[in-house]
Amino acid sequence: MSKERARRRAAREVQAARERVVRERRLARRRRRRALVRRVTPQWRRGRTGRLARRTRGERAAIIGLTAAALALIWVFVDDLALRVVLVVLLLLVLPAIVVIALDRRI
């Protein structure tokens, strides 16, 4: 009886070894294929990086829209060209501080 069990166990081990080899070949092929696809496809940055990354799309749109509205109001209501230029430069210099004060979330 024990010889029969040993023979069956040996057959199972041989079968398991074959299956393991087949599985390893499949995994190796899959890894090679994925590596090839990674090399061929262009790399895009995932997520948002940089200074504008802290703001949501809506916040960025609001910043741009309100700045454009302020610039338009300056150009419509101010007659003197020198004063227009000074106000535009002042607005652009003060804009980062306004954005941080209005939208900063570090509370």
Side-chain angles (χ1 to χ4, degrees):
M1 189 69 161
S2 65
K3 289 182 181 180
E4 179 65 26
R5 272 189 270 146
R7 193 172 45 77
R8 278 188 266 157
R9 183 177 60 237
R12 280 194 314 264
E13 289 174 356
V14 167
Q15 182 65 25
R18 282 187 200 142
E19 291 173 358
R20 193 177 319 116
V21 168
V22 169
R23 191 176 330 115
E24 288 173 359
R25 282 185 194 160
R26 266 192 220 133
L27 287 174
R29 191 176 340 139
R30 185 180 304 160
R31 284 189 204 113
R32 285 192 308 268
R33 198 176 326 133
R34 285 183 181 175
L36 177 66
V37 168
R38 282 191 191 113
R39 278 185 303 217
V40 172
T41 56
Q43 294 296 322
W44 298 99
R45 282 187 163 178
R46 299 278 182 211
R48 293 178 281 170
T49 60
R51 287 190 170 272
L52 291 178
R54 298 180 200 143
R55 310 284 175 223
T56 64
R57 184 175 289 169
E59 288 175 340
R60 287 185 298 230
I63 292 167
I64 293 169
L66 291 175
T67 304
L71 290 173
L73 290 173
I74 289 171
W75 282 93
V76 168
F77 290 114
V78 178
D79 292 331
D80 187 26
L81 181 61
L83 186 56
R84 282 181 185 170
V85 172
V86 169
L87 288 174
V88 167
V89 169
L90 184 65
L91 175 69
L92 294 178
L93 286 174
V94 176
L95 183 65
I98 294 170
V99 169
V100 167
I101 289 169
L103 299 177
D104 198 17
R105 297 188 200 107
R106 286 181 281 164
I107 295 176

